[in-house]
Amino acid sequence: EVHLVESGGDLVQPGGSLKLSCVASGFSFSTYWMTWVRQAPGKGLEWVANINPDGRQTDYVNSVRGRFTVSRDNAKNSVYLQMNSLRVEDTALYYCVRDVLFGRFDSWGQGTLVTVSS
Amino acid sequence: DVVLTQSPLSLSVTPGQPASISCKSSESLLHTDGKTYLHWYLQRPGQPPQLLMYELSSRFSGVSDRFSGSGSGTDFTLQISRVEAEDVGVYYCMQGLHLKTFGQGTKVEIK
């Protein structure tokens, strides 16, 4: 069974940094694209970033490009999201998601909460 | 950036009745491989989203055949043939061809 477990969410001040982690199990991690999706409180879903299986290709939504960096360690079955220059509007529940192909998100973690506030 | 526009944004349905959600894309989601990369997700209250339909009309494993997806190019529809209580939640369309974009979501409740 596929499991995705996020961690690292916290309360941080505007301008601060945070690194989210997601540990995967139950599948061949190194063969899948991985994605981060976020959901602000009471709002809809927003795709944030993705990374290809070997880690050489990454994509970002415009609002985080240049501030967030997605990476992975296939030896540790883990994907990360380094978030810098955090803004109040980055406050959200961040989900780690497995992408089968072109956005077919078939497995989701439970999410980790990031709150950006002074 | 590709924009997905869902309608309606909320829907109240009597159990056993059909329901339909529209999703319109600002660009075609038809790939040169012949597949349309438009997917549907359901987020039940307090839960992470779950995949319902992928590539326009394929039901994900375990999804009831009461759900069906249709459309082409830029106009898409999710249909529920007979709504049940367990169908309550927010439905999102999502495109995976031009990076990724979600629609605003459609909240479905039971009358």
Side-chain angles (χ1 to χ4, degrees):
Chain A
E1 185 181 356
V2 175
H3 274 111
L4 299 169
V5 180
E6 305 95 335
S7 61
D10 204 347
L11 170 63
V12 61
Q13 291 189 338
S17 298
L18 208 55
K19 186 173 184 177
L20 306 184
S21 300
C22 170
V23 178
S25 60
F27 65 101
S28 181
F29 179 76
S30 64
T31 65
Y32 283 86
W33 286 72
M34 296 298 295
T35 288
W36 288 94
V37 172
R38 68 183 179 183
Q39 186 169 37
K43 301 298 184 183
L45 301 172
E46 181 181 39
W47 169 78
V48 175
N50 61 211
I51 187 165
N52 77 329
D54 67 10
R56 294 182 182 183
Q57 182 180 341
T58 58
D59 301 295
Y60 301 91
V61 67
N62 286 340
S63 59
V64 310
R65 189 174 293 116
R67 299 189 298 122
F68 290 12
T69 302
V70 59
S71 61
R72 65 192 296 160
D73 184 338
N74 287 341
K76 295 183 177 180
N77 285 355
S78 295
V79 61
Y80 308 99
L81 187 66
Q82 175 67 47
M83 304 184 295
N84 298 330
S85 303
L86 282 161
R87 304 168 180 169
V88 171
E89 55 265 34
D90 295 319
T91 294
L93 186 63
Y94 284 73
Y95 293 104
C96 172
V97 187
R98 186 176 81 166
D99 184 355
V100 175
L101 185 68
F102 285 97
R104 191 196 313 179
F105 298 157
D106 70 339
S107 298
W108 297 64
Q110 291 295 312
T112 187
L113 182 62
V114 173
T115 303
V116 185
S117 174
S118 54
Chain B
D1 295 357
V2 173
V3 176
L4 296 182
T5 303
Q6 290 183 230
S7 62
L9 297 184
S10 66
L11 204 49
S12 184
V13 188
T14 300
Q17 292 301 301
S20 180
I21 300 170
S22 170
C23 175
K24 296 185 186 296
S25 175
S26 60
E27 295 186 36
S28 174
L29 303 181
L30 176 62
H31 192 275
T32 52
D33 64 7
K35 296 180 181 179
T36 298
Y37 290 104
L38 186 282
H39 318 294
W40 291 93
Y41 295 87
L42 165 60
Q43 186 173 32
R44 294 190 170 105
Q47 297 294 316
Q50 60 187 89
L51 180 63
L52 280 181
M53 311 290 299
Y54 62 94
E55 293 166 19
L56 185 64
S57 59
S58 295
R59 268 187 300 274
F60 186 54
S61 174
V63 173
S64 169
D65 60 5
R66 296 181 295 104
F67 290 89
S68 62
S70 63
S72 64
T74 59
D75 287 4
F76 311 100
T77 301
L78 176 71
Q79 293 183 309
I80 311 173
S81 59
R82 300 174 307 280
V83 172
E84 297 182 1
E86 66 182 23
D87 301 334
V88 163
V90 181
Y91 291 78
Y92 296 91
C93 58
M94 198 212 79
Q95 67 83 17
L97 186 57
H98 310 283
L99 295 184
K100 314 288 189 296
T101 314
F102 286 94
Q104 319 98 299
T106 295
K107 186 174 184 179
V108 172
E109 63 176 20
I110 299 296
K111 279 185 183 175

